[in-house]
Amino acid sequence: MKSFKEMYELVKDFNPKIVAVAQAADIDVLLAVKDAYEKGIIKSILVGDKSEIERLALSISMPLKDHEIIDVKDDEKACRTAVKLVSDRQADMIMKGLVPTSVILKAVLDKEFDLRSDRLLSHVAVFESPFNRLMLLSDAAMNISPDLKAKIDIIYNAAYVAKKIGISDPKVAVLAAVEMVNPAMQATIDAAILAKMSDRGQFKGMIVDGPLALDNALSIESASHKGINSAVAGNADILIAPDIEAGNMLYKAITFIADKKIAGIIVGAKKPVILTSRSDSKESKFNSILLASIVASDKNI
Ligand SMILES: CCCC(=O)OP(=O)(O)O
């Protein structure tokens, strides 16, 4: 897939999914939900401050008769209500509204709702790259300081999403600040181990290489200028950040500096969670609904 337009072309023929929105009183969230509803992609249950949802909906001419509202003001309760709707099979996916990521993730991880699978949960972002194709980034929002084992799961989760959007044998760049292994930099050691695992055939259906700095993950000229010979350099489909700080900054640089369209979801749970930054645009939130719809349509999730 080259663009979110192509993603929309795929999703528009799916049966509409039901989205439980946690803290829906936000103009960009409501605009994305309105757009997705009008295009027949979703139905929604809006959890949040009812009077505020009604006020905002009026300002964007969003008819609320088509959307159920559950009046909950408190952040934690709104998240738990949205997650419970999915847990009780009244909704197919959860959407983060105007609420901190940690609050919604706490509800998603609560054993009471039985949404965890045997996989690690991780955030996967998809963005329109300058190379006329979609690329992926992980993890910008969930795993704070993943160890080697967590990085393996993060790579598998990202490759799963890559395959769902048509990237059959993704090339995975494990990012660090430098391309050489430096015993003082854990990110380079982890990346080198992951690359060796890939060399030995321990990752199926993908090529993993690292450590790669962002320049040579993205540009073959940068790689050859630095004398780096790698099947992934300049061809990366998936960027794996060393930790949440790097991942989150890269995510926000993609949107706020490069002005690229992005989508974000949490995978690894029994149902997808649409998870963007509160400050992301309505387009990014709409794109995230598309991406989650693809994952939610997978019978084997
Ligand atoms: C995927 C980015 C998650 C994030 O940073 O959310 P907030 O900006 O709302 O904290």
Side-chain angles (χ1 to χ4, degrees):
M1 245 174 232
K2 289 185 176 157
S3 63
F4 287 112
K5 191 166 177 301
E6 279 185 31
M7 195 181 285
Y8 169 63
E9 289 303 318
L10 174 73
V11 173
K12 74 178 179 13
D13 298 324
F14 290 1
N15 288 332
K17 303 286 178 298
I18 301 174
V19 183
V21 186
Q23 283 304 31
D26 176 85
I27 203 80
D28 292 309
V29 169
L30 290 176
L31 281 165
V33 167
K34 175 177 186 273
D35 196 13
Y37 174 78
E38 286 170 355
K39 290 185 162 81
I41 294 166
I42 60 161
K43 294 175 180 169
S44 82
I45 305 172
L46 306 173
V47 184
D49 184 331
K50 188 164 187 269
S51 58
E52 188 59 7
I53 292 172
E54 286 170 344
R55 187 184 72 76
L56 293 171
L58 190 64
S59 75
I60 56 169
S61 308
M62 177 179 183
L64 284 176
K65 64 176 175 32
D66 307 321
H67 305 268
E68 188 183 330
I69 301 178
I70 301 179
D71 188 20
V72 184
K73 292 187 178 55
D74 176 72
D75 277 359
E76 201 174 315
K77 280 191 191 141
C79 290
R80 292 181 67 79
T81 304
V83 172
K84 188 170 187 323
L85 286 165
V86 172
S87 175
D88 292 348
R89 296 174 186 268
Q90 293 176 59
D92 302 304
M93 46 207 204
I94 302 149
M95 179 170 182
K96 171 188 163 186
L98 189 59
V99 69
T101 301
S102 57
V103 181
I104 189 147
L105 289 182
K106 189 171 169 222
V108 171
L109 291 171
D110 192 323
K111 287 195 174 73
E112 180 189 331
F113 299 123
D114 191 31
L115 283 182
R116 297 179 79 160
S117 69
D118 52 2
R119 293 158 63 194
L120 179 85
L121 274 73
S122 58
H123 186 265
V124 180
V126 174
F127 60 99
E128 287 184 349
S129 73
F131 317 114
N132 193 30
R133 61 194 171 89
L134 292 177
M135 289 180 64
L136 295 88
L137 163 69
S138 192
D139 179 326
M142 174 126 206
N143 292 283
I144 295 171
S145 188
D147 60 11
L148 183 65
K149 190 168 177 298
K151 285 179 185 175
I152 294 169
D153 292 342
I154 287 170
I155 289 171
Y156 272 113
N157 280 350
Y160 162 79
V161 176
K163 286 171 195 190
K164 289 278 144 211
I165 60 169
I167 305 171
S168 53
D169 293 300
K171 296 189 178 63
V172 183
V174 186
L175 299 178
V178 294
E179 305 80 16
M180 298 301 163
V181 179
N182 180 338
M185 298 167 94
Q186 188 60 41
T188 69
I189 298 169
D190 289 351
I193 296 171
L194 293 164
K196 182 49 76 180
M197 288 174 68
S198 185
D199 283 349
R200 292 281 190 264
Q202 288 179 262
F203 284 105
K204 306 290 175 215
M206 65 185 111
I207 302 174
V208 181
D209 198 16
L212 289 169
L214 185 60
D215 54 342
N216 43 56
L218 298 177
S219 155
I220 194 74
E221 290 78 18
S222 296
S224 55
H225 200 82
K226 290 180 175 179
I228 306 297
N229 185 15
S230 156
V232 172
N235 277 312
D237 298 299
I238 299 174
L239 305 174
I240 299 296
D243 59 21
I244 198 171
E245 318 294 352
N248 194 279
M249 285 180 218
L250 191 46
Y251 179 100
K252 286 171 182 168
I254 290 165
T255 51
F256 282 91
I257 301 177
D259 198 22
K260 292 289 178 192
K261 293 184 180 136
I262 203 160
I265 58 171
I266 298 281
V267 290
K270 289 178 185 163
K271 300 285 176 183
V273 181
I274 299 159
L275 200 141
T276 58
S277 168
R278 284 159 286 179
S279 58
D280 272 329
S281 65
K282 61 181 189 300
E283 289 84 5
S284 294
K285 294 180 197 300
F286 176 80
N287 295 336
S288 306
I289 292 172
L290 295 179
L291 185 62
S293 298
I294 293 176
V295 172
S297 300
D298 183 351
K299 302 271 180 292
N300 301 316
I301 186 177

